[in-house]
Amino acid sequence: METKGHSNRQKIVQAASRLFYEHGYNQTSFSDIAQAAHIPKGNFYYYFKSKDQILEAVVENRLEDIRAMLEGWERSITGPRERLLRCLDILRNEEQAVVRYGCPMGTLTAELGKDQPALQGQAREMFQVFFIWLTRQFEALGHAGEARELALHVLARMQGIAAIAHAFADLAFLRRETAALRDWTQNL
Amino acid sequence: METKGHSNRQKIVQAASRLFYEHGYNQTSFSDIAQAAHIPKGNFYYYFKSKDQILEAVVENRLEDIRAMLEGWERSITGPRERLLRCLDILRNEEQAVVRYGCPMGTLTAELGKDQPALQGQAREMFQVFFIWLTRQFEALGHAGEARELALHVLARMQGIAAIAHAFADLAFLRRETAALRDWTQNL
DNA sequence: GTCTATAATGTGATAGAC
DNA sequence: GTCTATCACATTATAGAC
């Protein structure tokens, strides 16, 4: 339970999370993280025994953020359709980052899925949290029988938008396709 | 012009292409490639001066394959709609590999897009070739005014399917969503 | 808890004999 | 053209002083 944690530990996790997103997990070295977090290299084996464990902490940290965000929407947004639309807005709100670095969940999961199955299992959990939340929204919308299929469909559409927007660095495409996905959700 | 090339050079390119796909570019070392190609490490600086140049050759090799495939369809398949459907079939034909390793173009472009812009430019060319070909099919289908948008839409849908199928190792999802994309194409 | 020094390994790359 | 030996460097990781 690292609910709070020491300031140093938090600094490491946040620096690592950013670097993993911007440069990828394998391309980020201990030295990179230490430098970005302003922590001497050797010191941070006090907090983490291996690079794997930093990723674990990073994913755990992101999961907490995602869960807090989704639970916040459950409380602050009344209808399931409005909640779904709010979810799609992520792409627009993060459009600069998406065009530059892709989707933080998608690119990490893809990278680890190649040959680090244990680590990918961790990363996939982020998708799982979204999947469960989306499924609940579609059920509330009256699509109980196909809620899981619709949830995966939306996840895939969002991943595709992020992937192509990133590949072509195409902001207009991201906006256009996000709008189309909003329309699809409206007319569902 | 390495149309044919020495047997050794071809062995290196093919081994590297497979390893880049299965383990990622950054996670594949010179030693890995040398071992897989049964070529002594030192020897292959005779063929390539750097790791970048191997990637360049790999992408060039894949581009030739892609172009040959698309041109083959132009000759062997009469209607543009049938050609589009044939293109979607890639996902089904490669379903095992997609579930295991994701899309060869998408995962490579995503990896390099993080912080190797020069190399990403190479990889993106593969998407570009598909994009141009798809655009031509939609024009032939009578959608000249929105052919480019439709082409990118299809690319994104395919990328999304591959990404989620890979993330969840979900073969049923891949088949279901590919079928849905086929329907979309049929009714266009 | 914090930091320095350094070990052990693997990396991309080179020189030069055959 | 082919292969051996090896370089310089960066990497993850550890031991131990403070």
XYZ file of all heavy atoms in Angstrom, chain A residues 33-97:
540
model
N 15.765 7.815 -15.513
C 14.774 8.054 -14.465
C 15.404 8.815 -13.304
O 14.853 9.793 -12.796
C 14.171 6.725 -13.962
C 13.514 5.960 -15.117
C 13.154 6.982 -12.859
C 13.079 4.553 -14.753
N 16.593 8.349 -12.896
C 17.278 8.998 -11.782
C 17.519 10.474 -12.085
O 17.273 11.344 -11.250
C 18.604 8.292 -11.514
N 17.963 10.725 -13.289
C 18.253 12.100 -13.689
C 16.984 12.950 -13.673
O 16.966 14.060 -13.132
C 18.862 12.098 -15.094
C 19.700 13.328 -15.396
C 20.455 13.164 -16.715
O 20.540 12.061 -17.248
N 21.004 14.261 -17.228
N 15.895 12.409 -14.259
C 14.646 13.164 -14.339
C 14.042 13.391 -12.954
O 13.391 14.405 -12.711
C 13.643 12.432 -15.231
N 14.278 12.449 -12.042
C 13.692 12.564 -10.705
C 14.632 13.269 -9.737
O 14.289 13.494 -8.582
C 13.342 11.177 -10.170
N 15.850 13.599 -10.214
C 16.868 14.241 -9.363
C 17.191 13.376 -8.149
O 17.227 13.856 -7.022
C 16.401 15.634 -8.917
C 16.010 16.524 -10.054
N 16.940 17.063 -10.925
C 14.805 16.950 -10.472
C 16.297 17.802 -11.824
N 15.011 17.746 -11.588
N 17.390 12.093 -8.431
C 17.739 11.125 -7.385
C 19.026 10.431 -7.829
O 19.118 10.016 -8.977
C 16.642 10.045 -7.257
C 15.282 10.679 -6.968
C 17.004 9.031 -6.200
C 15.063 11.081 -5.563
N 19.996 10.304 -6.965
C 21.215 9.578 -7.340
C 20.891 8.151 -7.745
O 20.035 7.504 -7.142
C 22.050 9.594 -6.062
C 21.513 10.710 -5.256
C 20.079 10.862 -5.609
N 21.588 7.685 -8.771
C 21.302 6.367 -9.328
C 21.185 5.272 -8.270
O 20.172 4.576 -8.193
C 22.420 5.966 -10.311
C 22.135 6.270 -11.744
C 23.309 5.918 -12.636
C 23.650 4.440 -12.639
N 24.658 4.107 -13.674
N 22.270 5.146 -7.503
C 22.323 4.046 -6.547
C 21.202 4.083 -5.538
O 20.663 3.052 -5.140
N 20.842 5.299 -5.162
C 19.863 5.443 -4.072
C 18.555 4.749 -4.337
O 17.897 4.273 -3.423
C 19.601 6.917 -3.807
C 18.594 7.117 -2.683
O 18.384 6.210 -1.894
N 17.988 8.273 -2.635
N 18.171 4.668 -5.590
C 16.799 4.252 -5.721
C 16.595 2.753 -5.810
O 15.476 2.298 -5.982
C 16.051 5.055 -6.767
C 16.200 4.717 -8.176
C 16.087 3.426 -8.623
C 16.388 5.726 -9.087
C 16.166 3.149 -9.942
C 16.451 5.450 -10.409
C 16.351 4.157 -10.850
N 17.669 2.020 -5.562
C 17.470 0.602 -5.273
C 16.981 0.438 -3.847
O 16.619 -0.660 -3.422
C 18.754 -0.194 -5.505
C 18.971 -0.483 -6.962
C 19.638 0.423 -7.771
C 18.480 -1.630 -7.534
C 19.808 0.183 -9.111
C 18.648 -1.879 -8.881
C 19.312 -0.965 -9.654
O 19.475 -1.218 -10.984
N 16.977 1.527 -3.110
C 16.350 1.482 -1.789
C 14.829 1.399 -1.956
O 14.142 0.740 -1.181
C 16.735 2.722 -0.981
C 15.970 2.851 0.290
C 16.239 2.012 1.372
C 14.960 3.786 0.412
C 15.520 2.107 2.545
C 14.233 3.892 1.585
C 14.517 3.047 2.648
O 13.794 3.151 3.798
N 14.308 2.030 -2.990
C 12.861 2.046 -3.196
C 12.389 0.915 -4.101
O 11.300 0.380 -3.926
C 12.428 3.393 -3.794
C 12.781 4.570 -2.915
C 13.890 5.358 -3.187
C 12.006 4.860 -1.804
C 14.212 6.430 -2.372
C 12.316 5.928 -0.982
C 13.424 6.710 -1.266
O 13.747 7.755 -0.462
N 13.195 0.573 -5.098
C 12.799 -0.466 -6.048
C 13.958 -1.426 -6.283
O 15.077 -0.993 -6.498
C 12.372 0.159 -7.374
C 11.222 1.114 -7.242
C 11.453 2.478 -7.206
C 9.925 0.652 -7.145
C 10.401 3.367 -7.070
C 8.869 1.533 -7.014
C 9.110 2.893 -6.977
N 13.674 -2.686 -6.254
C 14.732 -3.684 -6.396
C 15.084 -3.946 -7.846
O 16.135 -4.484 -8.151
C 14.315 -4.994 -5.719
C 14.292 -4.934 -4.200
C 14.195 -6.346 -3.626
C 13.779 -6.315 -2.149
N 12.363 -5.877 -1.953
N 14.199 -3.589 -8.769
C 14.468 -3.850 -10.186
C 13.649 -2.900 -11.047
O 12.752 -2.201 -10.565
C 14.121 -5.293 -10.531
O 12.718 -5.447 -10.535
N 13.964 -2.907 -12.319
C 13.229 -2.046 -13.239
C 11.770 -2.509 -13.357
O 10.857 -1.694 -13.477
C 13.913 -2.073 -14.612
C 13.553 -0.912 -15.510
C 14.251 -1.048 -16.866
C 13.700 -0.043 -17.859
N 14.231 -0.265 -19.220
N 11.575 -3.819 -13.316
C 10.221 -4.359 -13.353
C 9.348 -3.715 -12.276
O 8.189 -3.386 -12.501
C 10.228 -5.872 -13.088
C 10.993 -6.638 -14.127
O 11.632 -5.989 -14.973
O 10.962 -7.876 -14.077
N 9.943 -3.573 -11.089
C 9.141 -3.083 -9.967
C 8.776 -1.623 -10.139
O 7.759 -1.165 -9.611
C 9.901 -3.302 -8.661
C 10.020 -4.774 -8.306
C 10.474 -4.987 -6.876
O 10.672 -4.040 -6.124
N 10.641 -6.253 -6.498
N 9.619 -0.875 -10.850
C 9.244 0.510 -11.128
C 8.032 0.520 -12.050
O 7.076 1.272 -11.834
C 10.413 1.278 -11.780
C 11.585 1.341 -10.815
C 9.977 2.688 -12.143
C 12.766 2.106 -11.347
N 8.081 -0.334 -13.073
C 6.917 -0.405 -13.969
C 5.670 -0.776 -13.189
O 4.602 -0.195 -13.392
C 7.158 -1.430 -15.077
C 5.976 -1.570 -16.036
C 5.849 -0.336 -16.910
C 6.100 -2.803 -16.897
N 5.808 -1.730 -12.300
C 4.676 -2.154 -11.478
C 4.098 -0.952 -10.731
O 2.885 -0.735 -10.724
C 5.149 -3.223 -10.493
C 4.072 -4.170 -10.017
C 4.659 -5.243 -9.104
O 5.726 -5.793 -9.440
O 4.054 -5.507 -8.042
N 4.968 -0.161 -10.134
C 4.512 1.011 -9.384
C 3.896 2.044 -10.311
O 2.905 2.699 -9.966
C 5.680 1.618 -8.611
N 4.484 2.194 -11.501
C 3.946 3.158 -12.465
C 2.542 2.750 -12.885
O 1.617 3.569 -12.902
C 4.868 3.263 -13.704
C 4.151 3.937 -14.863
C 6.142 4.014 -13.355
N 2.367 1.467 -13.218
C 1.050 0.998 -13.646
C 0.056 1.130 -12.500
O -1.086 1.580 -12.695
C 1.128 -0.464 -14.132
C -0.263 -1.019 -14.367
C 1.951 -0.547 -15.406
N 0.482 0.777 -11.299
C -0.402 0.895 -10.137
C -0.845 2.346 -9.959
O -2.015 2.635 -9.702
C 0.336 0.398 -8.884
C -0.584 0.083 -7.716
C -1.667 -0.900 -8.108
O -1.349 -1.964 -8.678
O -2.841 -0.593 -7.865
N 0.104 3.237 -10.139
C -0.180 4.665 -10.011
C -1.182 5.128 -11.073
O -2.138 5.844 -10.780
C 1.137 5.438 -10.153
C 0.941 6.933 -9.949
O 0.586 7.371 -8.864
N 1.176 7.702 -11.000
N -0.960 4.671 -12.306
C -1.890 5.057 -13.372
C -3.269 4.460 -13.133
O -4.289 5.094 -13.388
C -1.360 4.578 -14.734
C -0.137 5.342 -15.209
C 0.127 5.036 -16.668
N 1.466 5.464 -17.101
C 1.977 5.219 -18.292
N 1.279 4.541 -19.186
N 3.192 5.631 -18.611
N -3.300 3.214 -12.642
C -4.578 2.569 -12.362
C -5.369 3.370 -11.342
O -6.585 3.557 -11.485
C -4.346 1.150 -11.851
C -4.133 0.077 -12.920
C -3.704 -1.233 -12.282
C -5.408 -0.134 -13.730
N -4.690 3.843 -10.321
C -5.381 4.660 -9.312
C -5.969 5.904 -9.960
O -7.118 6.270 -9.683
C -4.411 5.050 -8.199
C -4.105 3.921 -7.229
C -3.002 4.305 -6.241
O -2.812 5.512 -6.001
O -2.326 3.385 -5.726
N -5.197 6.549 -10.821
C -5.695 7.748 -11.502
C -6.911 7.427 -12.361
O -7.909 8.156 -12.356
C -4.593 8.348 -12.381
C -3.479 8.975 -11.552
O -3.665 9.128 -10.322
O -2.426 9.313 -12.124
N -6.823 6.321 -13.105
C -7.926 5.944 -13.992
C -9.179 5.642 -13.173
O -10.274 6.124 -13.486
C -7.535 4.720 -14.853
C -6.430 5.102 -15.846
C -8.750 4.167 -15.591
C -5.775 3.907 -16.530
N -9.005 4.849 -12.133
C -10.163 4.496 -11.301
C -10.788 5.741 -10.679
O -12.007 5.887 -10.653
C -9.735 3.514 -10.198
C -9.400 2.126 -10.718
C -9.364 1.102 -9.570
N -9.025 -0.221 -10.090
C -7.823 -0.800 -9.972
N -6.850 -0.150 -9.345
N -7.602 -2.004 -10.476
N -9.954 6.633 -10.206
C -10.472 7.866 -9.595
C -11.236 8.686 -10.629
O -12.313 9.219 -10.349
C -9.316 8.677 -9.017
N -10.679 8.745 -11.851
C -11.334 9.509 -12.914
C -12.705 8.917 -13.243
O -13.708 9.637 -13.299
C -10.444 9.489 -14.159
C -10.995 10.214 -15.369
S -9.847 10.104 -16.773
C -9.973 8.346 -17.187
N -12.755 7.598 -13.431
C -14.015 6.947 -13.813
C -15.046 7.049 -12.688
O -16.226 7.310 -12.935
C -13.750 5.479 -14.176
C -12.827 5.249 -15.386
C -12.613 3.757 -15.621
C -13.380 5.898 -16.641
N -14.586 6.851 -11.453
C -15.516 6.968 -10.325
C -16.016 8.400 -10.194
O -17.175 8.637 -9.845
C -14.841 6.495 -9.034
C -14.714 4.976 -8.956
C -13.750 4.531 -7.852
O -13.417 5.361 -6.983
O -13.324 3.350 -7.881
N -15.152 9.332 -10.490
C -15.562 10.738 -10.474
C -16.674 10.991 -11.476
O -17.651 11.682 -11.169
N -16.544 10.415 -12.650
C -17.580 10.593 -13.668
C -18.889 9.939 -13.240
O -19.969 10.440 -13.553
C -17.120 10.019 -15.008
C -15.968 10.780 -15.608
C -15.529 12.021 -15.235
C -15.127 10.354 -16.669
N -14.455 12.389 -15.994
C -14.187 11.382 -16.892
C -15.058 9.210 -17.453
C -13.202 11.300 -17.865
C -14.078 9.119 -18.427
C -13.161 10.155 -18.629
N -18.806 8.806 -12.561
C -20.011 8.141 -12.075
C -20.788 9.079 -11.157
O -22.019 9.095 -11.154
C -19.645 6.860 -11.301
C -19.063 5.743 -12.151
C -20.141 4.929 -12.872
O -21.324 5.088 -12.600
O -19.751 4.116 -13.744
N -20.042 9.843 -10.387
C -20.689 10.723 -9.421
C -21.151 12.028 -10.061
O -22.252 12.503 -9.814
C -19.728 11.021 -8.262
C -19.781 9.951 -7.159
C -18.891 10.304 -5.984
N -17.536 9.774 -6.141
C -16.470 10.495 -6.438
N -16.579 11.786 -6.616
N -15.291 9.929 -6.568
N -20.323 12.577 -10.941
C -20.605 13.935 -11.415
C -21.457 13.969 -12.685
O -22.061 14.990 -12.994
C -19.294 14.686 -11.657
O -18.564 14.059 -12.704
N -21.487 12.861 -13.439
C -22.248 12.850 -14.693
C -23.421 11.890 -14.554
O -23.244 10.732 -14.183
C -21.345 12.443 -15.885
C -20.121 13.353 -15.955
C -22.139 12.496 -17.185
C -19.120 12.973 -17.017
N -24.609 12.372 -14.900
C -25.821 11.619 -14.607
C -26.055 10.451 -15.562
O -26.135 9.302 -15.140
C -27.062 12.543 -14.657
O -26.769 13.721 -13.889
C -28.271 11.826 -14.086
N -26.173 10.725 -16.866
C -26.566 9.678 -17.800
C -25.394 8.884 -18.343
O -24.293 9.403 -18.484
N -25.637 7.614 -18.665
C -24.573 6.772 -19.220
C -24.070 7.284 -20.569
O -22.868 7.175 -20.884
C -25.229 5.399 -19.354
C -26.694 5.660 -19.340
C -26.904 6.883 -18.507
N -24.962 7.833 -21.377
C -24.514 8.320 -22.686
C -23.569 9.517 -22.509
O -22.543 9.609 -23.192
C -25.711 8.727 -23.545
C -25.340 8.943 -25.016
C -26.489 9.488 -25.839
N -27.699 8.712 -25.728
C -27.971 7.620 -26.420
N -27.094 7.185 -27.300
N -29.098 6.970 -26.260
N -23.914 10.374 -21.578
C -23.058 11.531 -21.318
C -21.703 11.085 -20.763
O -20.671 11.668 -21.081
C -23.735 12.490 -20.329
C -24.911 13.259 -20.923
C -26.104 12.359 -21.231
O -26.280 11.340 -20.538
O -26.848 12.663 -22.192
N -21.726 10.022 -19.970
C -20.464 9.493 -19.444
C -19.603 8.926 -20.582
O -18.397 9.137 -20.626
C -20.742 8.384 -18.420
C -21.374 8.892 -17.136
C -21.289 7.838 -16.041
N -22.212 8.164 -14.956
C -23.267 7.424 -14.618
N -23.526 6.297 -15.263
N -24.041 7.792 -13.635
N -20.242 8.226 -21.501
C -19.493 7.685 -22.638
C -18.874 8.815 -23.450
O -17.703 8.742 -23.856
C -20.423 6.849 -23.528
C -20.854 5.503 -22.953
C -21.975 4.899 -23.798
C -19.672 4.544 -22.890
N -19.645 9.854 -23.678
C -19.125 10.985 -24.450
C -17.953 11.645 -23.713
O -16.960 12.045 -24.340
C -20.243 12.013 -24.702
C -21.344 11.512 -25.649
C -22.515 12.491 -25.679
C -20.791 11.312 -27.054
N -18.074 11.716 -22.396
C -16.964 12.284 -21.619
C -15.709 11.438 -21.790
O -14.601 11.964 -21.882
C -17.358 12.350 -20.147
C -16.275 12.910 -19.226
C -15.949 14.331 -19.589
N -14.754 14.812 -18.906
C -13.515 14.560 -19.295
N -13.299 13.811 -20.366
N -12.493 15.047 -18.630
N -15.893 10.136 -21.865
C -14.759 9.230 -22.046
C -14.092 9.458 -23.395
O -12.862 9.510 -23.490
C -15.234 7.783 -21.909
S -13.917 6.569 -22.005
N -14.900 9.630 -24.423
C -14.329 9.877 -25.754
C -13.547 11.192 -25.778
O -12.589 11.342 -26.543
C -15.441 9.926 -26.810
C -16.278 8.656 -26.974
C -17.296 8.837 -28.082
C -15.392 7.458 -27.252
N -13.963 12.131 -24.938
C -13.295 13.435 -24.910
C -11.829 13.332 -24.504
O -11.058 14.263 -24.749
C -14.016 14.386 -23.948
C -15.294 14.931 -24.558
O -15.442 14.838 -25.784
O -16.143 15.451 -23.806
N -11.453 12.210 -23.892
C -10.045 12.048 -23.518
C -9.154 12.298 -24.724
O -8.132 12.983 -24.643
C -9.773 10.631 -22.972
C -10.566 10.380 -21.693
C -8.285 10.440 -22.703
C -10.451 8.945 -21.190
N -9.560 11.726 -25.855
C -8.746 11.860 -27.064
C -8.550 13.328 -27.444
O -7.452 13.724 -27.855
C -9.392 11.100 -28.228
C -9.232 9.578 -28.197
C -10.140 8.937 -29.240
C -7.786 9.179 -28.465
N -9.613 14.104 -27.333
C -9.512 15.523 -27.660
C -8.703 16.285 -26.608
O -7.862 17.111 -26.940
C -10.911 16.148 -27.787
C -11.642 15.777 -29.071
C -10.887 16.283 -30.304
N -10.604 17.709 -30.231
C -11.409 18.662 -30.691
N -12.531 18.327 -31.270
N -11.062 19.915 -30.581
N -8.950 15.970 -25.347
C -8.257 16.692 -24.281
C -6.756 16.419 -24.290
O -5.963 17.254 -23.881
C -8.842 16.306 -22.912
C -10.270 16.787 -22.756
O -10.707 17.699 -23.439
N -11.005 16.154 -21.855
N -6.396 15.240 -24.757
C -4.977 14.866 -24.772
C -4.425 14.839 -26.193
O -3.418 14.174 -26.460
C -4.796 13.482 -24.132
C -5.330 13.353 -22.725
C -4.550 14.217 -21.736
O -3.326 14.386 -21.954
O -5.157 14.738 -20.784
N -5.043 15.585 -27.076
C -4.723 15.429 -28.496
C -3.242 15.702 -28.813
O -2.648 15.001 -29.627
C -5.630 16.316 -29.363
C -5.528 17.781 -29.068
C -6.520 18.615 -29.906
O -7.477 18.057 -30.458
O -6.305 19.834 -29.980
N -2.663 16.689 -28.178
C -1.252 16.978 -28.452
C -0.367 15.788 -28.072
O 0.517 15.373 -28.827
C -0.797 18.224 -27.683
C -1.527 19.508 -28.075
C -1.213 19.955 -29.496
O -0.197 19.562 -30.065
N -2.098 20.753 -30.082
N -0.601 15.250 -26.885
C 0.202 14.121 -26.419
C -0.025 12.888 -27.282
O 0.919 12.156 -27.597
C -0.121 13.821 -24.957
